[in-house]
Amino acid sequence: MEAAHSDVVIDVRGLNKHFGDNHAVRDLALTVRRGEIFGFLGPNGSGKTTSIRMLCGLLTPDSGEGTCLGYDILRETKEIKRHVGYMTQRFSFWEDLTLRENLNFIARMYGMTERRRHVDETLARLKLTERGNHLAGTLSGGWKQRLALAACLLHAPDLLLLDEPTAGVDPKARRDFWDELHALAAHGITVLVSTHYMDEAERCHKLGYILNGRLLAQGTASEVIASQALVTWAVEGEDLAALAATLRALPAVEQVASFGNVLHVTGPNRERLKAALAPMMDEPRRQWREVEPSLEDVFIHLMRDADLKEELTQ
Amino acid sequence: MSQWFSFSRWLGIVGKEFIQLKRDRLTFGMIVGIPVVQLILFGFAINSDPKHLPTAALIADRGEFSRSILAGLKNSSYFEYIGEAANEQESDRMLATGKAQFVVTIPADFSLRLVRGERPALLLEADATDPSATGNAIAAVNQLAQTVLAHDLTGPLAPLAGSAGAFEIRVHARYNPEAITQYNIVPGLMGVILTMTMVMMTGLAITRERERGTMENLLATPATVLEVMTGKIVPYVLIGLIQVTLVLTLARLLFGVPIHGSLTVLYLAVLVFIAANLTLGLTFSSLARNQLQAMQMTFFFFLPSMLLSGFMFPFRGMPNWAQDIGEALPLTHFLRVVRGVLLKGNGWPEVIPETWPIALFGLVVIAIGLRTFRSTLD
Ligand SMILES: Nc1ncnc2c1ncn2[C@@H]1O[C@H](COP(=O)(O)OP(=O)(O)O)[C@@H](O)[C@H]1O
Ligand SMILES: [Mg+2]
């Protein structure tokens, strides 16, 4: 039991945060284990940044409790800051300082010794040695993100909190970034990363989907998919655009999404969906098969569900 | 390494601030530019030695002495004779409208009393709204009284010339009884410049970090609020001292302002004044959401400081309520310190009573500021 417990890096319950009337985070409960890459998903304004800031002591929760790296998130924020690497959503290094000066400054803030060696190593690892004396403001988006990651790794943190680190970064740089995250996780570093990208969600060990401040689903990708018990049919063939319009009108169909030449038709009820689709399945010019719903299907379902509930309560 | 304050971390913040300052051309320009521009504007534009001031006369005695006096006035480069006023109402109106800066009144029995050796008075009314404009002219007219009648007072009248002069000039400074000399403004500028740059620059330095999002990064590290705030203001203390030195040098070289008192006393008082202004800048920066607001707060404080401290207007000429507000402003006390030390040669006994209110102001502001300093982003 004790061993299992020490394996839990983030363990919080009942976290709430208000900004005036805006209830930005509601009863957040989160468990993340050592070496896990936990993906934090949700549309803009759903409370991802606010949650992350509460975890690293930048915002004080209105209520709730828990620990981060075994330190109390309300009382031991200093210790948490010492062992956490936080990458802000927006690039937040000093653009009027050079790369070297930025890294050196951060190293000082963490009270590191042998700063020069660490900074040199980091620059070399980023292949930025010859640009070390350039101002950070002159870097392009992908390099800024590399610098930000390097700066949060400088003090060898045990936990990385990354807030939309790959927004506006090209696909190749994104892939390299994720390879790096997996390498770090393999070394026992825990990563909590918020993102918008579905392909990134699929690269996480665990996921959490947050909407309007509520964490609606949590677990591995297949657990999250299974939890909503959706049924999805994929259809290929001719004239899919017209078919999509017909399908959207059916009450048993909740969503129709096209993925290139394939249409995903999703509904919450297996029997009703089957019955509704049956007449069209006989047409020979299209091929139908049941597939596992994708994460995107599930997230869109969660969003619709939340909208419906909102309408009902109003 | 203490929990709340790490000297090494603090040095890191100070160092970073210096590097950023070095690269910020605009701010750097302001540090030097503000004192130079203000000194030149206020020093030269306002304190230059105005000449050819429009002067009217109200003459009730048309003797030869009157003619000589008028001729003397016309010859002096300070006065530009614009004509005679018909009566007292007209001369009053000329002063009120600014048509005349001076009116010379020669009373009816002037010649008679002069010959009798009674040293009659000649009235010189001055529009002293802007006292620095009239000061030198008034000095010149006193000079005139000694010499203007030299040709007339010969023979039997010669003894009248005497050492004090045959007549007296009574100066009546209208509208503004307290004459501020040129020396008053230049030392005063030192306080004005410090108020403006110290409050504004610290206010901006910290809100800038918040606005650019770098404050979030800084607060996510173990750096404490105390380290961040104090570390960020240190360079500005140095800037303040540089500005004071610059103003003193220019005041001496350009305007010949005397330095009668001790520079040590002055610089120590300057440090207290800088500290008080920096605490205000810090507090503004923790209240302001962005740089614009910090700027607005600075001006909200700066304007009354300019107007009510005795810099713009003679302090004793202001109504009581304005004087009360003025007494609460650090600039008011600082002006008395600078002027006292430079012009009157004041030392600690005179300086301390004006320094503790500045320190008190700083303490009150810090007490308010400490409540608003945030170590989180809440
Ligand atoms: N500092 C703040 N002050 C006021 N409202 C805020 C602040 N930060 C976030 N919010 C609000 O809280 C909600 C959640 O925001 P955020 O956590 O940034 O969402 P996300 O990161 O998922 O886009 C939004 O409605 C946002 O407007
Ligand atoms: Mg966000």
Side-chain angles (χ1 to χ4, degrees):
Chain A
M1 187 66 211
E2 193 56 41
H5 195 75
S6 74
D7 219 32
V8 175
V9 171
I10 300 177
D11 183 21
V12 295
R13 292 164 299 278
L15 292 192
N16 278 284
K17 185 71 190 176
H18 295 80
F19 295 109
D21 289 341
N22 182 358
H23 199 162
V25 173
R26 302 167 196 243
D27 293 325
L28 178 73
L30 208 58
T31 313
V32 180
R33 285 170 196 285
R34 185 172 311 282
E36 260 176 16
I37 300 182
F38 187 96
F40 213 25
L41 286 104
N44 278 330
S46 53
K48 301 184 293 295
T49 301
T50 307
S51 303
I52 293 175
R53 284 174 174 167
M54 286 195 285
L55 291 176
C56 63
L58 280 173
L59 284 176
T60 318
D62 298 332
S63 62
E65 55 168 12
T67 59
C68 199
L69 294 164
Y71 300 109
D72 189 285
I73 59 158
L74 294 172
R75 288 190 310 272
E76 295 173 301
T77 55
K78 269 193 93 71
E79 287 306 317
I80 293 176
K81 286 176 181 179
R82 212 177 283 284
H83 295 100
V84 165
Y86 170 48
M87 183 166 162
T88 54
Q89 179 168 355
R90 195 175 133 200
F91 181 73
S92 60
F93 286 84
W94 292 269
E95 303 207 339
D96 48 353
L97 295 188
T98 64
L99 303 190
R100 187 175 284 284
E101 286 163 351
N102 265 299
L103 292 173
N104 189 51
F105 177 70
I106 292 294
R108 280 197 95 120
M109 291 305 105
Y110 285 97
M112 291 170 61
T113 53
E114 295 185 73
R115 285 194 301 274
R116 171 172 282 274
R117 186 172 63 79
H118 281 113
V119 169
D120 284 343
E121 278 173 12
T122 305
L123 285 171
R125 203 158 60 88
L126 288 173
K127 304 185 185 67
L128 280 173
T129 306
E130 72 281 13
R131 301 234 279 173
N133 292 324
H134 289 214
L135 296 183
T138 61
L139 289 180
S140 68
W143 285 110
K144 277 185 174 162
Q145 173 245 29
R146 307 269 314 154
L147 169 68
L149 181 66
C152 350
L153 287 170
L154 206 56
H155 64 291
D158 301 315
L159 169 64
L160 284 178
L161 299 175
L162 311 174
D163 197 358
E164 294 191 28
T166 54
V169 171
D170 68 64
K172 169 75 168 68
R174 279 212 290 142
R175 168 159 299 184
D176 293 347
F177 186 82
W178 275 88
D179 288 343
E180 175 112 30
L181 287 193
H182 276 277
L184 290 167
H187 280 90
I189 294 180
T190 311
V191 181
L192 186 146
V193 52
S194 75
T195 178
H196 276 309
Y197 297 107
M198 285 305 145
D199 59 316
E200 291 187 348
E202 277 151 15
R203 299 192 70 165
C204 297
H205 301 127
K206 293 270 181 64
L207 295 173
Y209 186 78
I210 186 170
L211 186 71
N212 298 331
R214 275 200 189 84
L215 192 66
L216 295 178
Q218 189 177 181
T220 62
S222 25
E223 279 166 6
V224 168
I225 291 170
S227 71
Q228 300 305 313
L230 294 179
V231 182
T232 298
W233 285 84
V235 51
E236 277 174 89
E238 296 162 31
D239 217 5
L240 291 180
L243 178 66
T246 322
L247 289 172
R248 284 202 178 95
L250 298 175
V253 173
E254 187 188 79
Q255 31 169 319
V256 180
S258 55
F259 294 87
N261 298 322
V262 188
L263 217 54
H264 276 201
V265 187
T266 304
N269 184 303
R270 177 175 299 276
E271 270 62 52
R272 286 187 55 216
L273 186 64
K274 185 98 193 264
L277 299 180
M280 277 163 276
M281 284 186 179
D282 295 335
E283 290 181 42
R285 56 199 183 117
R286 299 195 188 96
Q287 299 82 50
W288 295 78
R289 68 198 149 85
E290 192 179 334
V291 295
E292 180 172 84
S294 69
L295 271 175
E296 192 168 303
D297 296 328
V298 171
F299 292 153
I300 290 174
H301 164 76
L302 287 169
M303 267 173 98
R304 281 173 172 252
D305 233 28
D307 284 349
L308 276 179
K309 279 184 191 138
E310 192 115 324
E311 272 167 37
L312 284 178
T313 54
Q314 269 169 11
Chain B
M1 194 157 76
S2 122
Q3 167 88 7
W4 294 107
F5 200 90
S6 142
F7 188 67
S8 156
R9 218 155 43 208
W10 183 80
L11 274 185
I13 296 171
V14 172
K16 160 182 155 297
E17 203 64 18
F18 269 117
I19 297 173
Q20 289 185 295
L21 213 56
K22 196 178 74 192
R23 302 225 167 100
D24 185 355
R25 294 266 161 76
L26 188 66
T27 303
F28 212 69
M30 269 168 47
I31 293 165
V32 178
I34 289 180
V36 172
V37 169
Q38 293 220 10
L39 260 188
I40 304 248
L41 281 183
F42 281 90
F44 279 129
I46 296 179
N47 284 322
S48 65
D49 189 4
K51 298 198 171 168
H52 310 291
L53 299 169
T55 305
L58 187 61
I59 304 168
D61 177 345
R62 300 196 178 272
E64 59 173 308
F65 295 132
S66 302
R67 272 201 303 283
S68 297
I69 287 170
L70 274 188
L73 276 179
K74 286 176 192 169
N75 281 336
S76 156
S77 60
Y78 283 104
F79 303 98
E80 175 94 34
Y81 188 65
I82 57 167
E84 227 180 282
N87 48 39
E88 220 169 298
Q89 282 94 323
E90 194 188 346
S91 72
D92 270 348
R93 221 191 54 241
M94 285 168 113
L95 279 177
T97 57
K99 202 172 153 209
Q101 183 100 33
F102 295 100
V103 173
V104 180
T105 304
I106 304 179
D109 49 1
F110 186 76
S111 306
L112 192 68
R113 294 182 56 206
L114 193 142
V115 175
R116 284 194 197 144
E118 290 179 15
R119 281 197 90 233
L122 186 104
L123 182 65
L124 180 72
E125 287 175 276
D127 171 3
T129 311
D130 180 1
S132 54
T134 52
N136 285 353
I138 289 171
V141 88
N142 282 314
Q143 198 66 36
L144 221 70
Q146 311 280 331
T147 57
V148 73
L149 296 182
H151 291 294
D152 301 297
L153 302 176
T154 47
L157 293 177
L160 288 177
S163 58
F167 62 96
E168 169 191 356
I169 292 183
R170 198 169 289 155
V171 177
H172 187 184
R174 304 271 302 260
Y175 307 125
N176 178 1
E178 182 177 319
I180 298 177
T181 69
Q182 171 179 26
Y183 291 169
N184 246 345
I185 286 199
V186 174
L189 267 181
M190 190 190 290
V192 170
I193 290 162
L194 283 178
T195 302
M196 183 149 136
T197 47
M198 293 298 102
V199 176
M200 185 166 70
M201 281 183 183
T202 36
L204 290 185
I206 290 162
T207 43
R208 190 182 307 132
E209 299 260 5
R210 200 168 289 140
E211 213 172 303
R212 293 185 183 168
T214 49
M215 188 58 102
E216 179 170 8
N217 205 337
L218 204 46
L219 292 179
T221 72
T224 64
V225 185
L226 190 66
E227 290 161 358
V228 173
M229 296 289 177
T230 57
K232 284 189 74 75
I233 64 173
V234 163
Y236 298 96
V237 174
L238 210 72
I239 287 175
L241 293 175
I242 291 173
Q243 289 185 321
V244 166
T245 310
L246 194 64
V247 171
L248 277 179
T249 312
L250 289 180
R252 190 95 194 90
L253 295 183
L254 288 182
F255 304 105
V257 173
I259 302 178
H260 289 311
S262 141
L263 282 181
T264 315
V265 172
L266 183 63
Y267 272 94
L268 285 172
V270 161
L271 275 180
V272 176
F273 183 63
I274 288 177
N277 281 308
L278 289 182
T279 58
L280 188 68
L282 276 181
T283 301
F284 281 172
S285 74
S286 60
L287 292 174
R289 295 197 178 278
N290 51 46
Q291 294 190 65
L292 180 67
Q293 282 187 2
M295 201 77 162
Q296 288 169 329
M297 290 183 191
T298 303
F299 276 92
F300 184 75
F301 174 74
F302 183 65
L303 280 183
S305 290
M306 284 273 274
L307 298 174
L308 304 182
S309 61
F311 174 73
M312 291 280 241
F313 312 114
F315 195 77
R316 293 198 195 88
M318 299 191 310
N320 284 338
W321 62 265
Q323 290 197 19
D324 290 344
I325 298 175
E327 290 287 352
L329 298 169
L331 183 59
T332 308
H333 300 279
F334 185 68
L335 290 184
R336 294 177 191 159
V337 171
V338 194
R339 288 171 177 166
V341 171
L342 292 185
L343 308 176
K344 302 178 188 164
N346 285 350
W348 283 125
E350 297 85 14
V351 167
I352 284 173
E354 297 296 346
T355 307
W356 72 256
I358 302 176
L360 183 67
F361 177 90
L363 288 178
V364 170
V365 169
I366 268 288
I368 297 170
L370 279 179
R371 294 161 190 269
T372 59
F373 292 162
R374 288 159 288 183
S375 62
T376 61
L377 298 167
D378 291 82

